[in-house]
Amino acid sequence: MAIELKPTEALKLWHDVNLDLVRDGETDLTTRQMTILLTIYLDPPPHTVRGLAKKLAVTKPVITRALDTMGKAGLVTRRRDEADRRNVIIQRTVQGSLYLDRLSDLIIARAHALRP
Amino acid sequence: MAIELKPTEALKLWHDVNLDLVRDGETDLTTRQMTILLTIYLDPPPHTVRGLAKKLAVTKPVITRALDTMGKAGLVTRRRDEADRRNVIIQRTVQGSLYLDRLSDLIIARAHALRP
DNA sequence: ATAGGCTAGTACGCGTCCGAAACGATCGGG
DNA sequence: CCCGATCGTTTCGGACGCGTACTAGCCTAT
């Protein structure tokens, strides 16, 4: 059965999850970074810089910079594509998986609490 | 009836809505700014800088700067509290309401599309 | 072999955000 | 009437993201 949300519920869900992210303090991902991270973990690989840039409708440097930042945080890894060394394959990490596990727990809990 | 989401659904919902926001291009709100905006429109007034700072567990300059930015974008307004002129009351605007209307439409559509 | 195309990354200048500290304005109790 | 407390803002140096333009490496067809 489809998920039917009322406008107030939709906004409250968005608010509550964002509030948790802000309060957490740990996280400081841009909307773009968050979208990239989720794309890497939800869409089937392989993931390349130009592929992500096209999907998000942003320029390549945006992807490169986001990968730099998230790579430093251990959320993703880069590897040269040996078949075509121009390409860079973006890979998942254990730490990134754990981060998204926590995120999904958070969303599920907030969605569940919408209707007490 | 409560809203039950599976982990993959939760992450996909989060991804899809963020993707829409990124692709839109118009919006460029920080997680903090988004949370502040939603708080102003969902929680009962009055809203003050220190109140928002306490709720989000951030410092006051963060709130001031976010209000500067969103004020320039026409999403919120500030007004002195005449009863206690130390306070600043943060108010909603028509433009802010419209922005959140569009956001809720987006979330509702993406939630609905989760289970085709 | 080489020219032209792809790929990802880098350089630059600009704007914005950050945390910490300090500031001016305002209130309220003694 | 003052003096301490409270409120919001400003300032400072530093970090980061942005778009544009350019670079360096790789591949492929001629």
Side-chain angles (χ1 to χ4, degrees), chain A residues 48-50 60 64 78 86-88:
Chain A
T48 63
V49 172
R50 84 182 173 289
K60 281 184 296 180
T64 296
R78 272 183 281 199
R86 288 173 302 183
N87 294 336
V88 162

Side-chain angles (χ1 to χ4, degrees), chain A residues 33-48 52 55 63 67 70 75-77 89-93 100, chain B residues 15:
Chain A
Q33 293 171 347
M34 176 68 81
T35 307
I36 292 170
L37 185 62
L38 283 165
T39 298
I40 294 168
Y41 279 79
L42 292 178
D43 286 6
H47 298 286
T48 63
L52 292 171
K55 178 174 182 190
I63 306 293
L67 293 179
M70 293 192 291
L75 297 175
V76 296
T77 312
I89 308 293
I90 295 103
Q91 292 176 301
R92 310 165 185 179
T93 65
L100 290 187
Chain B
H15 167 270

Side-chain angles (χ1 to χ4, degrees), chain B residues 53-71:
Chain B
K54 184 170 185 179
K55 178 174 182 191
L56 304 207
V58 297
T59 59
K60 283 186 296 178
V62 168
I63 306 294
T64 296
R65 282 187 293 252
L67 293 179
D68 287 346
T69 302
M70 293 192 291

Side-chain angles (χ1 to χ4, degrees), chain B residues 39-92:
Chain B
T39 299
I40 294 169
Y41 279 79
L42 291 178
D43 287 6
H47 298 285
T48 63
V49 172
R50 83 181 174 291
L52 292 170
K54 184 170 185 179
K55 178 174 182 191
L56 304 207
V58 297
T59 59
K60 283 186 296 178
V62 168
I63 306 294
T64 296
R65 282 187 293 252
L67 293 179
D68 287 346
T69 302
M70 293 192 291
K72 240 180 286 181
L75 298 174
V76 296
T77 312
R78 273 183 280 200
R79 173 174 65 75
R80 274 284 160 197
D81 179 5
E82 292 303 330
D84 183 345
R85 294 187 49 77
R86 289 174 303 181
N87 293 336
V88 162
I89 308 293
I90 294 102
Q91 291 176 304
R92 309 165 186 180

